[in-house]
Amino acid sequence: MNLFFVLSGFLITGILIANKDRSDYYRHFYSRRALRILPALYATLLILLLSGLIGWRFLVVSLLFLANFAPLLRIHLQYPVLWSLAVEEHFYMLWPALVRRCSLRGLVFLLVTICAATPLLRAGIFMYAHNPQNPMYSWFNLDGLAIGALLAIWPRRPSFQRSHLSRLAGPLLVGGAGAFLFLAAHPGPAASSLSILSSNLASAGLLSSMLLLGTSPWSFVVDRPFLKFMGFISYGLYLVHILAFKLVELLFSHLSQLIINAGMPTAAMLLRFLTGAGLAIGIAYLSRVSLERSFLSGEFQRLRNRLF
């Protein structure tokens, strides 16, 4: 999840800065985001509702992008992945206006402040609530988005050089991962909060390393058809993977139990993983080439422009 937020902050900030001077800045951004996100989300919610995996109350909060506030509203979080999508949507609501109105220097100051304040806020709630779990509320998950946004802004500054990023990527990745492992071995309210920050920093290091690798003579390492395919279906895969594994558990529970009873629990676990992953990838691909592609097509985009 940390990598998801860092990557989102990086990609969305880059898109907003590149289109900052457009006269239709807001319409261009929000219409494209809506066409990319809403059709597959609504289809998934409909399937979940009809299958009985979610109820009406959770459906309503999900449609309003408030799934991460479901526990606060005394509604059971019936489909966990939707809490992070809610955080993402709240980011979309606020960040475009700030990017439009602020200079890059002002954005950097704001983002650094967020990176410093969010872990302190998390640590405070951990101490108060005596709860080492990561809160789902949006204001507790801003540092990952902010770190990704900083990574998008930095190369656009006049003083930036590729060597700067190459000197930082490795230490971020290794240091962040090392700090995460150390903090995991020393639990506590402050450690729980800082472990999230360290995971975000490691994610930024991984992303930086991939950017450097992808723009080097070694780009063929990451420029692989399989990786492109997974990126192509990533949103649908994010939405349906839990649903796919639930379906596999339902269909193959008897077979899995037989394999376990035969003394092969590892084989049963591997069967579940491979079957669930294959089903999730298949559903995500079908969604991408049918439902999602229809709404992202040039013809639909032209209709959107005429209407709005």
Side-chain angles (χ1 to χ4, degrees), residues 248-258:
V248 166
E249 287 178 1
L250 180 64
L251 295 176
F252 296 97
S253 59
H254 181 66
L255 177 60
S256 294
Q257 191 59 50
L258 288 176

Side-chain angles (χ1 to χ4, degrees), residues 55-73:
W56 284 101
R57 296 179 70 200
F58 185 72
L59 174 68
V60 171
V61 296
S62 298
L63 290 173
L64 296 174
F65 299 112
L66 294 173
N68 61 327
F69 289 99
L72 185 66
L73 300 171

Side-chain angles (χ1 to χ4, degrees), residues 97-116:
L98 292 171
V99 172
R100 178 82 168 193
R101 296 180 182 182
C102 298
S103 65
L104 290 185
R105 183 184 294 272
L107 289 175
V108 169
F109 177 80
L110 174 62
L111 291 167
V112 170
T113 302
I114 290 172
C115 289

Side-chain angles (χ1 to χ4, degrees), residues 90-281:
H90 301 160
F91 175 59
Y92 293 166
M93 292 174 189
L94 297 174
W95 191 235
L98 292 171
V99 172
R100 178 82 168 193
R101 296 180 182 182
C102 298
S103 65
L104 290 185
R105 183 184 294 272
L107 289 175
V108 169
F109 177 80
L110 174 62
L111 291 167
V112 170
T113 302
I114 290 172
C115 289
T118 304
L120 295 176
L121 188 62
R122 274 199 306 266
I125 197 63
F126 286 152
M127 293 177 188
Y128 175 77
H130 302 288
N131 182 7
Q133 299 298 317
N134 177 19
M136 295 179 294
Y137 306 140
S138 300
W139 46 81
F140 293 129
N141 295 280
L142 296 178
D143 46 341
L145 293 163
I147 289 170
L150 283 170
L151 190 58
I153 292 172
W154 188 24
R156 290 173 167 84
R157 296 180 67 85
S159 59
F160 174 79
Q161 296 180 22
R162 179 185 172 87
S163 59
H164 296 161
L165 186 60
S166 64
R167 286 196 293 267
L168 185 65
L172 271 180
L173 177 57
V174 176
F180 177 83
L181 294 174
F182 174 81
L183 292 166
H186 298 80
S192 296
S193 177
L194 290 175
S195 67
I196 298 169
L197 175 61
S198 62
S199 182
N200 288 330
L201 293 173
S203 297
L206 177 62
L207 178 56
S208 299
S209 299
M210 295 302 102
L211 291 172
L212 289 167
L213 191 60
T215 54
S216 74
W218 292 86
S219 61
F220 64 88
V221 175
V222 292
D223 188 15
R224 312 302 299 177
F226 174 75
L227 296 177
K228 291 180 179 179
F229 174 76
M230 295 304 292
F232 180 67
I233 66 168
S234 58
Y235 175 57
L237 191 60
Y238 159 81
L239 284 177
V240 306
H241 71 279
I242 291 181
L243 177 60
F245 277 96
K246 285 183 178 293
L247 184 59
V248 166
E249 287 178 1
L250 180 64
L251 295 176
F252 296 97
S253 59
H254 181 66
L255 177 60
S256 294
Q257 191 59 50
L258 288 176
I259 297 173
I260 292 172
N261 293 340
M264 297 183 291
T266 303
M269 182 179 64
L270 185 61
L271 174 65
R272 178 183 177 273
F273 172 76
L274 293 177
T275 309
L279 180 61
I281 289 171

